[in-house]
Amino acid sequence: MIKTNKFNKTQTICGGSRGGNNRGRSSGNNYNSFSSLDQSDRFYTKDTSNNFYLSNSDHLGLSLVSTQLIGSNYNSWNRVMCIALIAKNKIGFVHGTIDKLEDDDHLLFFWFCCNNMVMSWILNVVTKNITDSIMYISNACDIWNDLLERFH
C-alpha cells in the first residue's frame, strides 16, 4: 500500500505485516544536528499532535506498559503496547506509516530521535533473551515485525 505523508513523501506502509520498508537502507550516522534547525522546525516539533513531538516525560528508561513480553503473552502485550503507542502518538513508527525521512530532509534528526525512543520503549518491556535478539535492529518497525513473526 502506498501513502503520501504530510511532507508529501511517498511511503510504502509495512502495516504490521512482514519486514519494514527500510531494510537494506544505510542507517548511517547522517544525523542532522538540532542546532542546524531553524525556529520554525523547533516550533513544529512542539505541536503535541505532531508525530515527532516528545514531551518532557518521554525518556529512554520509560516502561510504557507493566506487562513484559515473554513470548507466550504476545497478543496481550501487543494490545497494551498499541494502546500506549497510540496515546503517545507513536504508533506509526511501529506500523511503518512514519517511514525514515530522506538523508537530506531537515527533519531527519527528529525522526531518528523518535524512532530511537520507540525502540527503547520496546526494549524496556521485553525479556533479556528477547532484547538480546532484537537490540541491533535499526528501526522500530522492523523490531515490531520481528516480534510479530516470532510470537503471533
Side-chain angles (χ1 to χ4, degrees), residues 14-78:
C14 71
S17 58
R18 298 193 39 150
N21 44 2
N22 290 328
R23 289 177 197 247
R25 275 190 178 176
S26 170
S27 60
N29 288 330
N30 198 8
Y31 300 91
N32 290 333
S33 70
F34 188 77
S35 61
S36 69
L37 300 171
D38 63 30
Q39 289 297 344
S40 63
D41 294 329
R42 292 178 192 175
F43 177 76
Y44 177 75
T45 59
K46 292 182 186 294
D47 174 7
T48 59
S49 66
N50 184 309
N51 293 316
F52 296 147
Y53 173 78
L54 290 170
S55 75
N56 291 336
S57 65
D58 294 331
H59 58 86
L60 297 173
L62 182 64
S63 291
L64 285 185
V65 297
S66 60
T67 303
Q68 186 178 46
L69 176 64
I70 58 173
S72 61
N73 66 337
Y74 174 80
N75 290 334
S76 59
W77 177 87
N78 178 278

Side-chain angles (χ1 to χ4, degrees), residues 6-7 44 47-54 88-93 97-98 110 114:
K6 66 171 91 177
F7 304 112
Y44 177 75
D47 174 7
T48 59
S49 66
N50 184 309
N51 293 316
F52 296 147
Y53 173 78
L54 290 170
K88 291 285 194 181
N89 199 20
K90 300 292 182 272
I91 194 72
F93 284 92
T97 56
I98 305 172
F110 296 111
C114 291

Side-chain angles (χ1 to χ4, degrees), residues 26-32 52 93 100-101 103 107-117 119 138:
S26 170
S27 60
N29 288 330
N30 198 8
Y31 300 91
N32 290 333
F52 296 147
F93 284 92
K100 180 183 178 224
L101 302 175
D103 287 343
L107 295 175
L108 180 63
F109 172 80
F110 296 111
W111 183 90
F112 273 112
C113 287
C114 291
N115 180 68
N116 286 328
M117 186 70 70
M119 289 190 315
S138 65

